[in-house]
PDB file of all heavy atoms in Angstrom:
ATOM      1  N   ALA A   1      29.073  15.620  -3.507  1.00 92.00           N
ATOM      2  CA  ALA A   1      30.310  16.215  -3.732  1.00 92.00           C
ATOM      3  C   ALA A   1      30.794  16.664  -2.313  1.00 92.00           C
ATOM      4  O   ALA A   1      30.143  16.959  -1.400  1.00 92.00           O
ATOM      5  CB  ALA A   1      30.199  17.502  -4.599  1.00 92.00           C
ATOM      6  N   ARG A   2      32.196  16.467  -2.252  1.00 91.00           N
ATOM      7  CA  ARG A   2      32.861  16.780  -1.062  1.00 91.00           C
ATOM      8  C   ARG A   2      33.980  17.781  -1.344  1.00 91.00           C
ATOM      9  O   ARG A   2      34.992  17.499  -2.003  1.00 91.00           O
ATOM     10  CB  ARG A   2      33.481  15.598  -0.338  1.00 91.00           C
ATOM     11  CG  ARG A   2      34.059  15.880   1.001  1.00 91.00           C
ATOM     12  CD  ARG A   2      34.306  14.628   1.764  1.00 91.00           C
ATOM     13  NE  ARG A   2      34.572  14.838   3.202  1.00 91.00           N
ATOM     14  CZ  ARG A   2      34.311  14.034   4.221  1.00 91.00           C
ATOM     15  NH1 ARG A   2      33.841  12.828   4.007  1.00 91.00           N
ATOM     16  NH2 ARG A   2      34.651  14.355   5.439  1.00 91.00           N
ATOM     17  N   ASP A   3      33.966  18.963  -0.778  1.00 88.00           N
ATOM     18  CA  ASP A   3      34.963  20.013  -0.877  1.00 88.00           C
ATOM     19  C   ASP A   3      35.112  20.347  -2.399  1.00 88.00           C
ATOM     20  O   ASP A   3      36.309  20.328  -2.953  1.00 88.00           O
ATOM     21  CB  ASP A   3      36.313  19.530  -0.213  1.00 88.00           C
ATOM     22  CG  ASP A   3      36.080  19.542   1.281  1.00 88.00           C
ATOM     23  OD1 ASP A   3      35.333  20.246   1.959  1.00 88.00           O
ATOM     24  OD2 ASP A   3      36.753  18.693   1.917  1.00 88.00           O
ATOM     25  N   GLY A   4      34.106  20.402  -3.082  1.00 85.00           N
ATOM     26  CA  GLY A   4      34.168  20.726  -4.558  1.00 85.00           C
ATOM     27  C   GLY A   4      34.553  19.611  -5.341  1.00 85.00           C
ATOM     28  O   GLY A   4      34.678  19.768  -6.685  1.00 85.00           O
ATOM     29  N   ARG A   5      34.684  18.473  -4.839  1.00 87.00           N
ATOM     30  CA  ARG A   5      35.063  17.268  -5.624  1.00 87.00           C
ATOM     31  C   ARG A   5      33.880  16.323  -5.814  1.00 87.00           C
ATOM     32  O   ARG A   5      33.318  15.867  -4.790  1.00 87.00           O
ATOM     33  CB  ARG A   5      36.272  16.462  -4.962  1.00 87.00           C
ATOM     34  CG  ARG A   5      36.761  15.341  -5.865  1.00 87.00           C
ATOM     35  CD  ARG A   5      37.992  14.729  -5.246  1.00 87.00           C
ATOM     36  NE  ARG A   5      37.767  14.272  -3.872  1.00 87.00           N
ATOM     37  CZ  ARG A   5      37.976  13.039  -3.571  1.00 87.00           C
ATOM     38  NH1 ARG A   5      38.432  12.068  -4.267  1.00 87.00           N
ATOM     39  NH2 ARG A   5      37.801  12.683  -2.024  1.00 87.00           N
ATOM     40  N   LEU A   6      33.509  16.063  -7.065  1.00 89.00           N
ATOM     41  CA  LEU A   6      32.228  15.180  -7.347  1.00 89.00           C
ATOM     42  C   LEU A   6      32.680  13.748  -6.750  1.00 89.00           C
ATOM     43  O   LEU A   6      33.781  13.198  -7.229  1.00 89.00           O
ATOM     44  CB  LEU A   6      31.981  15.217  -8.768  1.00 89.00           C
ATOM     45  CG  LEU A   6      31.313  16.463  -9.251  1.00 89.00           C
ATOM     46  CD1 LEU A   6      31.207  16.482 -10.830  1.00 89.00           C
ATOM     47  CD2 LEU A   6      29.928  16.673  -8.663  1.00 89.00           C
ATOM     48  N   LEU A   7      31.887  13.091  -6.105  1.00 92.00           N
ATOM     49  CA  LEU A   7      32.120  11.795  -5.649  1.00 92.00           C
ATOM     50  C   LEU A   7      31.279  10.769  -6.417  1.00 92.00           C
ATOM     51  O   LEU A   7      31.745   9.588  -6.688  1.00 92.00           O
ATOM     52  CB  LEU A   7      31.844  11.709  -4.207  1.00 92.00           C
ATOM     53  CG  LEU A   7      32.606  12.515  -3.274  1.00 92.00           C
ATOM     54  CD1 LEU A   7      32.182  12.161  -1.814  1.00 92.00           C
ATOM     55  CD2 LEU A   7      34.136  12.360  -3.497  1.00 92.00           C
ATOM     56  N   GLY A   8      30.030  11.140  -6.729  1.00 93.00           N
ATOM     57  CA  GLY A   8      29.266  10.089  -7.495  1.00 93.00           C
ATOM     58  C   GLY A   8      27.761  10.288  -7.475  1.00 93.00           C
ATOM     59  O   GLY A   8      27.342  11.486  -6.994  1.00 93.00           O
ATOM     60  N   ILE A   9      26.976   9.310  -7.632  1.00 94.00           N
ATOM     61  CA  ILE A   9      25.486   9.451  -7.773  1.00 94.00           C
ATOM     62  C   ILE A   9      24.894   8.474  -6.720  1.00 94.00           C
ATOM     63  O   ILE A   9      25.376   7.354  -6.603  1.00 94.00           O
ATOM     64  CB  ILE A   9      25.030   9.152  -9.047  1.00 94.00           C
ATOM     65  CG1 ILE A   9      25.448  10.295 -10.131  1.00 94.00           C
ATOM     66  CG2 ILE A   9      23.504   8.872  -9.096  1.00 94.00           C
ATOM     67  CD1 ILE A   9      24.768  11.576  -9.861  1.00 94.00           C
ATOM     68  N   VAL A  10      23.826   9.011  -5.979  1.00 93.00           N
ATOM     69  CA  VAL A  10      23.090   8.106  -5.302  1.00 93.00           C
ATOM     70  C   VAL A  10      21.843   7.781  -6.104  1.00 93.00           C
ATOM     71  O   VAL A  10      21.106   8.677  -6.524  1.00 93.00           O
ATOM     72  CB  VAL A  10      22.599   8.669  -3.931  1.00 93.00           C
ATOM     73  CG1 VAL A  10      21.663   7.660  -3.113  1.00 93.00           C
ATOM     74  CG2 VAL A  10      23.849   9.079  -2.994  1.00 93.00           C
ATOM     75  N   HIS A  11      21.596   6.549  -6.263  1.00 92.00           N
ATOM     76  CA  HIS A  11      20.450   6.118  -7.182  1.00 92.00           C
ATOM     77  C   HIS A  11      19.245   6.049  -6.162  1.00 92.00           C
ATOM     78  O   HIS A  11      19.153   5.146  -5.482  1.00 92.00           O
ATOM     79  CB  HIS A  11      20.725   4.782  -7.814  1.00 92.00           C
ATOM     80  CG  HIS A  11      19.665   4.266  -8.699  1.00 92.00           C
ATOM     81  ND1 HIS A  11      19.716   3.109  -9.429  1.00 92.00           N
ATOM     82  CD2 HIS A  11      18.401   4.816  -9.064  1.00 92.00           C
ATOM     83  CE1 HIS A  11      18.621   2.981 -10.134  1.00 92.00           C
ATOM     84  NE2 HIS A  11      17.825   3.911  -9.884  1.00 92.00           N
ATOM     85  N   LEU A  12      18.165   6.990  -6.505  1.00 88.00           N
ATOM     86  CA  LEU A  12      16.957   7.013  -5.841  1.00 88.00           C
ATOM     87  C   LEU A  12      15.956   6.421  -6.787  1.00 88.00           C
ATOM     88  O   LEU A  12      15.817   6.765  -7.833  1.00 88.00           O
ATOM     89  CB  LEU A  12      16.590   8.216  -5.322  1.00 88.00           C
ATOM     90  CG  LEU A  12      17.262   9.083  -4.367  1.00 88.00           C
ATOM     91  CD1 LEU A  12      16.977  10.480  -4.150  1.00 88.00           C
ATOM     92  CD2 LEU A  12      17.619   8.370  -3.132  1.00 88.00           C
ATOM     93  N   LYS A  13      15.141   5.297  -6.286  1.00 83.00           N
ATOM     94  CA  LYS A  13      14.201   4.782  -7.113  1.00 83.00           C
ATOM     95  C   LYS A  13      12.808   4.786  -6.662  1.00 83.00           C
ATOM     96  O   LYS A  13      12.596   4.588  -5.452  1.00 83.00           O
ATOM     97  CB  LYS A  13      14.589   3.339  -7.449  1.00 83.00           C
ATOM     98  CG  LYS A  13      13.821   2.601  -8.357  1.00 83.00           C
ATOM     99  CD  LYS A  13      14.293   1.132  -8.733  1.00 83.00           C
ATOM    100  CE  LYS A  13      13.337   0.568  -9.836  1.00 83.00           C
ATOM    101  NZ  LYS A  13      13.865  -0.756 -10.157  1.00 83.00           N
ATOM    102  N   ASP A  14      11.907   5.085  -7.499  1.00 78.00           N
ATOM    103  CA  ASP A  14      10.412   4.918  -7.288  1.00 78.00           C
ATOM    104  C   ASP A  14      10.050   3.530  -7.305  1.00 78.00           C
ATOM    105  O   ASP A  14      10.290   2.851  -8.416  1.00 78.00           O
ATOM    106  CB  ASP A  14       9.508   5.829  -8.122  1.00 78.00           C
ATOM    107  CG  ASP A  14       9.575   7.274  -7.771  1.00 78.00           C
ATOM    108  OD1 ASP A  14       9.583   7.603  -6.662  1.00 78.00           O
ATOM    109  OD2 ASP A  14       9.671   8.072  -8.782  1.00 78.00           O
ATOM    110  N   ILE A  15       9.629   2.865  -6.318  1.00 78.00           N
ATOM    111  CA  ILE A  15       9.238   1.439  -6.258  1.00 78.00           C
ATOM    112  C   ILE A  15       7.803   1.313  -6.725  1.00 78.00           C
ATOM    113  O   ILE A  15       6.771   1.954  -6.060  1.00 78.00           O
ATOM    114  CB  ILE A  15       9.388   0.859  -4.752  1.00 78.00           C
ATOM    115  CG1 ILE A  15      10.740   1.261  -4.247  1.00 78.00           C
ATOM    116  CG2 ILE A  15       9.138  -0.586  -4.840  1.00 78.00           C
ATOM    117  CD1 ILE A  15      11.770   0.599  -5.075  1.00 78.00           C
ATOM    118  N   VAL A  16       7.520   0.654  -7.855  1.00 81.00           N
ATOM    119  CA  VAL A  16       6.194   0.408  -8.446  1.00 81.00           C
ATOM    120  C   VAL A  16       5.492  -0.530  -7.471  1.00 81.00           C
ATOM    121  O   VAL A  16       6.153  -1.643  -7.157  1.00 81.00           O
ATOM    122  CB  VAL A  16       6.337  -0.092  -9.841  1.00 81.00           C
ATOM    123  CG1 VAL A  16       5.003  -0.576 -10.370  1.00 81.00           C
ATOM    124  CG2 VAL A  16       7.064   0.886 -10.822  1.00 81.00           C
ATOM    125  N   LYS A  17       4.278  -0.287  -7.246  1.00 80.00           N
ATOM    126  CA  LYS A  17       3.491  -1.129  -6.229  1.00 80.00           C
ATOM    127  C   LYS A  17       3.232  -2.441  -6.905  1.00 80.00           C
ATOM    128  O   LYS A  17       3.084  -2.615  -8.001  1.00 80.00           O
ATOM    129  CB  LYS A  17       2.092  -0.426  -5.995  1.00 80.00           C
ATOM    130  CG  LYS A  17       2.214   0.946  -5.290  1.00 80.00           C
ATOM    131  CD  LYS A  17       0.935   1.473  -4.975  1.00 80.00           C
ATOM    132  CE  LYS A  17       1.088   2.765  -4.052  1.00 80.00           C
ATOM    133  NZ  LYS A  17      -0.369   3.371  -3.655  1.00 80.00           N
ATOM    134  N   GLY A  18       3.213  -3.406  -5.947  1.00 78.00           N
ATOM    135  CA  GLY A  18       3.027  -4.863  -6.300  1.00 78.00           C
ATOM    136  C   GLY A  18       1.663  -5.022  -7.007  1.00 78.00           C
ATOM    137  O   GLY A  18       0.572  -4.512  -6.327  1.00 78.00           O
ATOM    138  N   GLY A  19       1.469  -5.634  -8.003  1.00 81.00           N
ATOM    139  CA  GLY A  19       0.077  -5.967  -8.668  1.00 81.00           C
ATOM    140  C   GLY A  19      -0.581  -4.909  -9.311  1.00 81.00           C
ATOM    141  O   GLY A  19      -1.489  -5.213 -10.000  1.00 81.00           O
ATOM    142  N   ILE A  20       0.198  -3.731  -9.495  1.00 83.00           N
ATOM    143  CA  ILE A  20      -0.380  -2.661 -10.227  1.00 83.00           C
ATOM    144  C   ILE A  20      -0.384  -2.910 -11.713  1.00 83.00           C
ATOM    145  O   ILE A  20      -1.333  -2.564 -12.396  1.00 83.00           O
ATOM    146  CB  ILE A  20       0.439  -1.268  -9.913  1.00 83.00           C
ATOM    147  CG1 ILE A  20      -0.441  -0.153 -10.351  1.00 83.00           C
ATOM    148  CG2 ILE A  20       1.718  -1.309 -10.647  1.00 83.00           C
ATOM    149  CD1 ILE A  20      -1.504   0.165  -9.309  1.00 83.00           C
ATOM    150  N   ARG A  21       0.588  -3.611 -12.258  1.00 87.00           N
ATOM    151  CA  ARG A  21       0.658  -3.983 -13.596  1.00 87.00           C
ATOM    152  C   ARG A  21      -0.470  -4.888 -13.988  1.00 87.00           C
ATOM    153  O   ARG A  21      -1.148  -4.643 -15.165  1.00 87.00           O
ATOM    154  CB  ARG A  21       1.846  -4.637 -14.090  1.00 87.00           C
ATOM    155  CG  ARG A  21       2.144  -4.878 -15.468  1.00 87.00           C
ATOM    156  CD  ARG A  21       3.464  -5.694 -15.687  1.00 87.00           C
ATOM    157  NE  ARG A  21       3.752  -5.665 -17.115  1.00 87.00           N
ATOM    158  CZ  ARG A  21       4.292  -4.601 -17.862  1.00 87.00           C
ATOM    159  NH1 ARG A  21       4.807  -3.622 -17.183  1.00 87.00           N
ATOM    160  NH2 ARG A  21       4.529  -4.826 -19.179  1.00 87.00           N
ATOM    161  N   GLU A  22      -1.048  -5.865 -13.182  1.00 86.00           N
ATOM    162  CA  GLU A  22      -2.105  -6.733 -13.436  1.00 86.00           C
ATOM    163  C   GLU A  22      -3.376  -5.957 -13.348  1.00 86.00           C
ATOM    164  O   GLU A  22      -4.256  -6.087 -14.242  1.00 86.00           O
ATOM    165  CB  GLU A  22      -2.107  -7.799 -12.414  1.00 86.00           C
ATOM    166  CG  GLU A  22      -1.075  -8.923 -12.577  1.00 86.00           C
ATOM    167  CD  GLU A  22       0.268  -8.284 -12.135  1.00 86.00           C
ATOM    168  OE1 GLU A  22       0.357  -7.364 -11.287  1.00 86.00           O
ATOM    169  OE2 GLU A  22       1.400  -8.942 -12.418  1.00 86.00           O
ATOM    170  N   ARG A  23      -3.476  -4.879 -12.518  1.00 82.00           N
ATOM    171  CA  ARG A  23      -4.635  -4.053 -12.373  1.00 82.00           C
ATOM    172  C   ARG A  23      -4.776  -3.292 -13.686  1.00 82.00           C
ATOM    173  O   ARG A  23      -5.951  -3.049 -14.176  1.00 82.00           O
ATOM    174  CB  ARG A  23      -4.598  -3.167 -11.199  1.00 82.00           C
ATOM    175  CG  ARG A  23      -4.380  -3.939  -9.992  1.00 82.00           C
ATOM    176  CD  ARG A  23      -4.665  -3.155  -8.660  1.00 82.00           C
ATOM    177  NE  ARG A  23      -6.112  -2.782  -8.536  1.00 82.00           N
ATOM    178  CZ  ARG A  23      -6.547  -2.144  -7.553  1.00 82.00           C
ATOM    179  NH1 ARG A  23      -5.614  -1.530  -6.655  1.00 82.00           N
ATOM    180  NH2 ARG A  23      -7.736  -1.820  -7.455  1.00 82.00           N
ATOM    181  N   PHE A  24      -3.693  -2.722 -14.226  1.00 86.00           N
ATOM    182  CA  PHE A  24      -3.808  -1.976 -15.359  1.00 86.00           C
ATOM    183  C   PHE A  24      -4.161  -2.776 -16.610  1.00 86.00           C
ATOM    184  O   PHE A  24      -4.861  -2.433 -17.567  1.00 86.00           O
ATOM    185  CB  PHE A  24      -2.374  -1.233 -15.722  1.00 86.00           C
ATOM    186  CG  PHE A  24      -2.254  -0.092 -14.864  1.00 86.00           C
ATOM    187  CD1 PHE A  24      -0.928   0.192 -14.321  1.00 86.00           C
ATOM    188  CD2 PHE A  24      -3.363   0.852 -14.409  1.00 86.00           C
ATOM    189  CE1 PHE A  24      -0.747   1.380 -13.621  1.00 86.00           C
ATOM    190  CE2 PHE A  24      -2.999   1.723 -13.564  1.00 86.00           C
ATOM    191  CZ  PHE A  24      -1.734   2.095 -13.082  1.00 86.00           C
ATOM    192  N   ALA A  25      -3.774  -4.100 -16.587  1.00 86.00           N
ATOM    193  CA  ALA A  25      -4.019  -5.027 -17.643  1.00 86.00           C
ATOM    194  C   ALA A  25      -5.635  -5.382 -17.608  1.00 86.00           C
ATOM    195  O   ALA A  25      -6.249  -5.386 -18.649  1.00 86.00           O
ATOM    196  CB  ALA A  25      -3.183  -6.367 -17.474  1.00 86.00           C
ATOM    197  N   ALA A  26      -6.153  -5.374 -16.421  1.00 80.00           N
ATOM    198  CA  ALA A  26      -7.624  -5.594 -16.235  1.00 80.00           C
ATOM    199  C   ALA A  26      -8.367  -4.468 -16.881  1.00 80.00           C
ATOM    200  O   ALA A  26      -9.349  -4.584 -17.470  1.00 80.00           O
ATOM    201  CB  ALA A  26      -7.968  -5.961 -14.846  1.00 80.00           C
ATOM    202  N   LEU A  27      -7.897  -3.352 -16.550  1.00 81.00           N
ATOM    203  CA  LEU A  27      -8.522  -2.084 -17.042  1.00 81.00           C
ATOM    204  C   LEU A  27      -8.406  -2.043 -18.541  1.00 81.00           C
ATOM    205  O   LEU A  27      -9.432  -1.712 -19.320  1.00 81.00           O
ATOM    206  CB  LEU A  27      -7.945  -0.758 -16.400  1.00 81.00           C
ATOM    207  CG  LEU A  27      -8.172  -0.507 -14.995  1.00 81.00           C
ATOM    208  CD1 LEU A  27      -7.289   0.520 -14.453  1.00 81.00           C
ATOM    209  CD2 LEU A  27      -9.583  -0.175 -14.783  1.00 81.00           C
ATOM    210  N   ARG A  28      -7.348  -2.446 -19.228  1.00 85.00           N
ATOM    211  CA  ARG A  28      -7.171  -2.404 -20.539  1.00 85.00           C
ATOM    212  C   ARG A  28      -8.136  -3.361 -21.198  1.00 85.00           C
ATOM    213  O   ARG A  28      -8.678  -3.050 -22.248  1.00 85.00           O
ATOM    214  CB  ARG A  28      -5.789  -2.775 -20.897  1.00 85.00           C
ATOM    215  CG  ARG A  28      -5.438  -2.598 -22.372  1.00 85.00           C
ATOM    216  CD  ARG A  28      -3.932  -2.935 -22.621  1.00 85.00           C
ATOM    217  NE  ARG A  28      -3.021  -2.085 -21.870  1.00 85.00           N
ATOM    218  CZ  ARG A  28      -2.220  -2.359 -20.762  1.00 85.00           C
ATOM    219  NH1 ARG A  28      -2.309  -3.725 -20.455  1.00 85.00           N
ATOM    220  NH2 ARG A  28      -1.531  -1.608 -20.166  1.00 85.00           N
ATOM    221  N   HIS A  29      -8.372  -4.535 -20.541  1.00 80.00           N
ATOM    222  CA  HIS A  29      -9.268  -5.555 -21.064  1.00 80.00           C
ATOM    223  C   HIS A  29     -10.725  -4.964 -21.065  1.00 80.00           C
ATOM    224  O   HIS A  29     -11.628  -5.400 -21.783  1.00 80.00           O
ATOM    225  CB  HIS A  29      -9.158  -6.789 -20.058  1.00 80.00           C
ATOM    226  CG  HIS A  29      -9.883  -7.931 -20.649  1.00 80.00           C
ATOM    227  ND1 HIS A  29      -9.630  -8.618 -21.898  1.00 80.00           N
ATOM    228  CD2 HIS A  29     -10.973  -8.669 -20.144  1.00 80.00           C
ATOM    229  CE1 HIS A  29     -10.693  -9.568 -22.116  1.00 80.00           C
ATOM    230  NE2 HIS A  29     -11.331  -9.568 -20.978  1.00 80.00           N
ATOM    231  N   MET A  30     -10.939  -4.046 -20.151  1.00 78.00           N
ATOM    232  CA  MET A  30     -12.274  -3.309 -19.960  1.00 78.00           C
ATOM    233  C   MET A  30     -12.431  -2.364 -21.027  1.00 78.00           C
ATOM    234  O   MET A  30     -13.538  -1.587 -21.235  1.00 78.00           O
ATOM    235  CB  MET A  30     -12.499  -2.824 -18.611  1.00 78.00           C
ATOM    236  CG  MET A  30     -12.571  -3.812 -17.556  1.00 78.00           C
ATOM    237  SD  MET A  30     -12.335  -3.190 -15.888  1.00 78.00           S
ATOM    238  CE  MET A  30     -13.156  -1.533 -15.899  1.00 78.00           C
ATOM    239  N   GLY A  31     -11.413  -1.953 -21.737  1.00 82.00           N
ATOM    240  CA  GLY A  31     -11.417  -0.910 -22.875  1.00 82.00           C
ATOM    241  C   GLY A  31     -11.146   0.444 -22.271  1.00 82.00           C
ATOM    242  O   GLY A  31     -11.364   1.494 -22.836  1.00 82.00           O
ATOM    243  N   ILE A  32     -10.441   0.510 -21.078  1.00 87.00           N
ATOM    244  CA  ILE A  32      -9.972   1.782 -20.500  1.00 87.00           C
ATOM    245  C   ILE A  32      -8.594   2.097 -20.604  1.00 87.00           C
ATOM    246  O   ILE A  32      -7.640   1.189 -20.382  1.00 87.00           O
ATOM    247  CB  ILE A  32     -10.365   1.832 -18.802  1.00 87.00           C
ATOM    248  CG1 ILE A  32     -11.904   1.648 -18.676  1.00 87.00           C
ATOM    249  CG2 ILE A  32      -9.890   3.054 -18.249  1.00 87.00           C
ATOM    250  CD1 ILE A  32     -12.273   1.478 -17.234  1.00 87.00           C
ATOM    251  N   ARG A  33      -8.251   3.256 -21.163  1.00 91.00           N
ATOM    252  CA  ARG A  33      -6.879   3.589 -21.436  1.00 91.00           C
ATOM    253  C   ARG A  33      -6.353   4.313 -20.183  1.00 91.00           C
ATOM    254  O   ARG A  33      -6.982   5.275 -19.579  1.00 91.00           O
ATOM    255  CB  ARG A  33      -6.949   4.608 -22.583  1.00 91.00           C
ATOM    256  CG  ARG A  33      -5.432   5.148 -22.964  1.00 91.00           C
ATOM    257  CD  ARG A  33      -5.695   6.004 -24.220  1.00 91.00           C
ATOM    258  NE  ARG A  33      -4.441   6.723 -24.520  1.00 91.00           N
ATOM    259  CZ  ARG A  33      -4.313   8.031 -24.296  1.00 91.00           C
ATOM    260  NH1 ARG A  33      -5.319   8.734 -23.775  1.00 91.00           N
ATOM    261  NH2 ARG A  33      -3.149   8.743 -24.563  1.00 91.00           N
ATOM    262  N   THR A  34      -5.181   3.957 -19.709  1.00 91.00           N
ATOM    263  CA  THR A  34      -4.536   4.431 -18.486  1.00 91.00           C
ATOM    264  C   THR A  34      -3.446   5.496 -18.938  1.00 91.00           C
ATOM    265  O   THR A  34      -2.592   5.047 -19.842  1.00 91.00           O
ATOM    266  CB  THR A  34      -4.045   3.389 -17.557  1.00 91.00           C
ATOM    267  OG1 THR A  34      -3.219   2.507 -18.283  1.00 91.00           O
ATOM    268  CG2 THR A  34      -5.178   2.568 -17.054  1.00 91.00           C
ATOM    269  N   VAL A  35      -3.433   6.609 -18.284  1.00 93.00           N
ATOM    270  CA  VAL A  35      -2.363   7.569 -18.553  1.00 93.00           C
ATOM    271  C   VAL A  35      -1.705   8.038 -17.196  1.00 93.00           C
ATOM    272  O   VAL A  35      -2.447   8.346 -16.228  1.00 93.00           O
ATOM    273  CB  VAL A  35      -2.968   8.785 -19.212  1.00 93.00           C
ATOM    274  CG1 VAL A  35      -1.824   9.858 -19.523  1.00 93.00           C
ATOM    275  CG2 VAL A  35      -3.534   8.482 -20.493  1.00 93.00           C
ATOM    276  N   MET A  36      -0.453   7.859 -17.105  1.00 90.00           N
ATOM    277  CA  MET A  36       0.305   8.266 -15.903  1.00 90.00           C
ATOM    278  C   MET A  36       0.787   9.606 -15.973  1.00 90.00           C
ATOM    279  O   MET A  36       1.242  10.135 -17.094  1.00 90.00           O
ATOM    280  CB  MET A  36       1.565   7.329 -15.629  1.00 90.00           C
ATOM    281  CG  MET A  36       2.409   7.699 -14.407  1.00 90.00           C
ATOM    282  SD  MET A  36       3.992   6.709 -14.414  1.00 90.00           S
ATOM    283  CE  MET A  36       4.864   7.641 -15.562  1.00 90.00           C
ATOM    284  N   ILE A  37       0.487  10.475 -14.969  1.00 88.00           N
ATOM    285  CA  ILE A  37       0.908  11.830 -14.872  1.00 88.00           C
ATOM    286  C   ILE A  37       2.037  12.065 -13.897  1.00 88.00           C
ATOM    287  O   ILE A  37       1.887  11.468 -12.713  1.00 88.00           O
ATOM    288  CB  ILE A  37      -0.279  12.669 -14.468  1.00 88.00           C
ATOM    289  CG1 ILE A  37      -1.449  12.550 -15.500  1.00 88.00           C
ATOM    290  CG2 ILE A  37       0.019  14.191 -14.420  1.00 88.00           C
ATOM    291  CD1 ILE A  37      -2.690  13.362 -15.105  1.00 88.00           C
ATOM    292  N   THR A  38       3.052  12.704 -14.435  1.00 83.00           N
ATOM    293  CA  THR A  38       4.163  12.942 -13.458  1.00 83.00           C
ATOM    294  C   THR A  38       4.936  14.139 -13.712  1.00 83.00           C
ATOM    295  O   THR A  38       4.872  14.719 -14.912  1.00 83.00           O
ATOM    296  CB  THR A  38       5.118  11.693 -13.587  1.00 83.00           C
ATOM    297  OG1 THR A  38       6.312  11.916 -12.714  1.00 83.00           O
ATOM    298  CG2 THR A  38       5.683  11.470 -14.977  1.00 83.00           C
TER     299      THR A  38
END
């Protein structure tokens, strides 16, 4: 905001690490359940 006037939104994004999806798939294949805490 500038001088009390809303201008908009800045989009901040958490970048998911490369290859992490494949690693979770391997864990799932091993019978391990993955839980993300945030």
Side-chain angles (χ1 to χ4, degrees):
R2 184 165 194 157
D3 296 329
R5 184 170 61 118
L6 291 170
L7 299 180
I9 292 290
V10 179
H11 183 178
L12 300 176
K13 184 174 182 180
D14 285 320
I15 308 300
V16 174
K17 292 182 177 180
I20 198 76
R21 189 179 185 89
E22 290 73 19
R23 302 189 75 182
F24 287 143
L27 287 169
R28 190 177 302 109
H29 189 61
M30 291 158 46
I32 297 176
R33 176 171 170 260
T34 53
V35 181
M36 181 185 78
I37 300 176
T38 177

